[in-house]
Amino acid sequence: EAQLVESGGGVVQPGGSLRLSCLASGFGFSGYDMHWVQEAPGKKPEWVSGISAGGTRTWYEDFVKGRFTISRDNAKNTVYLQMNNLKPEDTAQYYCVANQGGSDPRYVYDYRGQGTQVTVSS
């Protein structure tokens, strides 16, 4: 059974850091682009960042550029999101998404995890 399991969320003060991890199993992880998508209550899903299957290309939404870094370790079937200088507006459920077709990962994906909550509050 294909599965994505996120971890690393939590409560942090503004300016703090978190590192999210997403462990994949049951499918060919190294053949998929991977993305992080955030969902906050009452808001539409927002794409945050993505990384190509081989890890050579990365993409970021403007509001996280310079603060978040996406990476992956295909030997460990894991994708990471290092989140620095967190802001209250980063508060959301964060989902990792496996996408092979190049479609909008907010809505179209091959696999998606159950999410991990990030709360930024003083």
Side-chain angles (χ1 to χ4, degrees):
E1 178 186 358
Q3 200 171 15
L4 291 170
V5 180
E6 300 96 334
S7 61
V11 180
V12 64
Q13 292 187 341
S17 298
L18 286 173
R19 188 194 196 202
L20 306 185
S21 299
C22 174
L23 176 63
S25 61
F27 68 98
F29 175 77
S30 62
Y32 286 77
D33 292 345
M34 296 297 297
H35 301 268
W36 289 94
V37 173
Q38 62 169 215
E39 289 190 22
K43 296 184 179 180
K44 293 181 179 180
E46 293 270 7
W47 173 78
V48 175
S49 180
I51 187 167
S52 61
T56 57
R57 292 173 293 157
T58 58
W59 311 281
Y60 297 94
E61 184 54 89
D62 285 347
F63 62 82
V64 303
K65 281 182 181 177
R67 299 190 298 124
F68 292 8
T69 302
I70 191 170
S71 61
R72 68 189 295 162
D73 185 338
N74 285 346
K76 295 182 178 180
N77 284 357
T78 302
V79 61
Y80 305 97
L81 186 68
Q82 178 66 44
M83 312 167 73
N84 297 330
N85 190 20
L86 282 159
K87 303 177 180 181
E89 51 264 43
D90 295 321
T91 295
Q93 188 86 346
Y94 284 75
Y95 297 88
C96 82
V97 170
N99 187 321
Q100 203 172 40
S103 301
D104 187 339
R106 295 175 298 169
Y107 304 111
V108 181
Y109 45 83
D110 296 283
Y111 308 105
R112 192 172 96 149
Q114 84 292 345
T116 186
Q117 177 68 33
V118 171
T119 301
V120 185
S121 175
S122 56

